[in-house]
Amino acid sequence: MLEVKPKVLLIDDEESILKVISTILKNEGFTVITAKSKKEALQKLDNIKFDIILSDYRLPDGTGIQILEEFRNEDLITPFIMITAYGSINGAVEAMQKGASHYISKPIDSSQLVEIINFHLKKASFTNEIKEFEGIIGKSSQMKELFKEISIISQSNSTVLIEGESGTGKELVAKAIHKLSQRKDKPFIPINCSAIPLELFENELFGHEKGAYTGANTKTVGKIELAGEGTLFLDEIGEMPQLIQAKLLRVLQEKEFFRVGGNEIVKMKCRVISATNKNLEAMVEEGTFREDLFYRINVVHLRIPPLRERKEDIPLLVNQFLKKYSLENNKEIVDIDPQVIEIFLKYDWPGNVRELENAIERAVVMCPIDKIKIEHIPKRIINKAISKNNKNNLQTNTYNLNEIERKIILSALEEENWNQTRTAQKLGISRKQLRTKMKNLGLLPS
Ligand SMILES: Nc1ncnc2c1ncn2[C@@H]1O[C@H](COP(=O)(O)OP(=O)(O)OP(=O)(O)O)[C@@H](O)[C@H]1O
Ligand SMILES: [Mg+2]
């Protein structure tokens, strides 16, 4: 199998460092492209898709952090490793906060560098795996399963019933099935069964002939005919009046119908996909939904899990909606406070993806700066998230500054065998400062 070499962008203004690191990385099988300034790096990032980026902190026309910030606007996944000067804990903390995947302090240990690069490449390819399918975002195992089912189902002609709570993406899934099917160039016609009054329902489905009733001045084609050889999407089918249920059943059996007031047979050629947020089986038991129709429309059954059952999809969805609404509102929202994500992960999202989408849209509109913070999120969501879990967790946010600093200090301590003097030197702080930080972080008894 032909393996493509991973592409590395190496940013440093020192010729000798570029040479040494390039040689090491080339020997390890990477393609290395170099840049000697911020300007050159940004230009290359614009034109080339790299697998990993390695940047020095200080550059003649700016800093590696500035490159990182611009880059993270566009790309949240590609690993970015910052090389910081020996003894610059602040630089390392800043880099991690701004979204660096790792920091390495000089002098660089080549075997460690290769190990870190390989680790992050592997991790990124893992995250990159699948996160979108026909416009449906998701990487949870439940969504991956659903993607598989959609691709299989799209190749058949059987009726499909999509079940899912409000806002889980039922319409999105119906459209994906249509787009992947052989009917993709034919119409996709939705009918919202909850929005049509009984007296207009037949008209909507079957159309009418001229003069069928008072006011019917012209012949009108109904949605089944409009769908032609495409897909008819019966949304909220649980709301379909019983009288119409009977008529629909008949059409699904006979595959033909008359327009209202007509006697010309019209063939039904479309595929039917239905969706509901009701429990249709329970409705059948209760006698409010026809059992025979239920079996007709439910040859294949798809269930979209509610968002609370697949919370790992939340960060992906957040990114997607941030991009979408920043663009729509002409704003450059580049960042979101990790505390907000934490709240989002705790909240149960009764309105599912639609509710999340609305929350992000609102936050983008409300946000006067380039970063979404907790104050841009509806109080209702925050209160519910907090009351659900204990409030302390909010302070011990795993992404927060303390945690980043703790990681940096811990790894420096480990590298220096817990020798405080050498660790302090490495981090560029006094031994006393190090001891204070260690106490605050619970690494030393206070
Ligand atoms: N997995 C997803 N990825 C991206 N966007 C999604 C996803 N799921 C839902 N959405 C978005 O959320 C919104 C609601 O989706 P959709 O209308 O398909 O849901 P629904 O299940 O039909 O909801 P309802 O029952 O309220 O009609 C849409 O804007 C849709 O684009
Ligand atoms: Mg819908």
Side-chain angles (χ1 to χ4, degrees), residues 353-403:
V353 183
R354 177 179 292 114
E355 188 184 7
L356 176 64
E357 183 169 357
N358 291 345
I360 299 286
E361 182 179 8
R362 176 182 181 275
V364 169
V365 171
M366 303 276 290
C367 181
I369 42 165
D370 61 357
K371 180 170 183 165
I372 291 189
K373 296 197 169 147
I374 207 100
E375 60 259 34
H376 307 127
I377 304 305
K379 290 271 177 315
R380 181 180 50 82
I381 291 182
I382 299 171
N383 290 340
K384 286 226 173 104
I386 293 177
S387 68
K388 214 189 129 239
N389 227 304
N390 62 43
K391 291 173 191 152
N392 302 340
N393 281 354
L394 266 185
Q395 265 100 49
T396 54
N397 174 351
T398 47
Y399 302 93
N400 71 16
L401 188 75
N402 277 352
E403 198 51 38

Side-chain angles (χ1 to χ4, degrees), residues 202-219:
E202 268 188 84
N203 226 340
E204 183 82 5
L205 280 175
F206 312 117
H208 63 251
E209 298 291 347
K210 184 176 172 181
Y213 48 84
T214 333
N217 297 326
T218 51
K219 171 184 147 179

Side-chain angles (χ1 to χ4, degrees), residues 170-171 233 235-236 354:
K170 295 186 290 294
E171 183 151 358
F233 176 50
D235 203 0
E236 317 281 0
R354 177 179 292 114

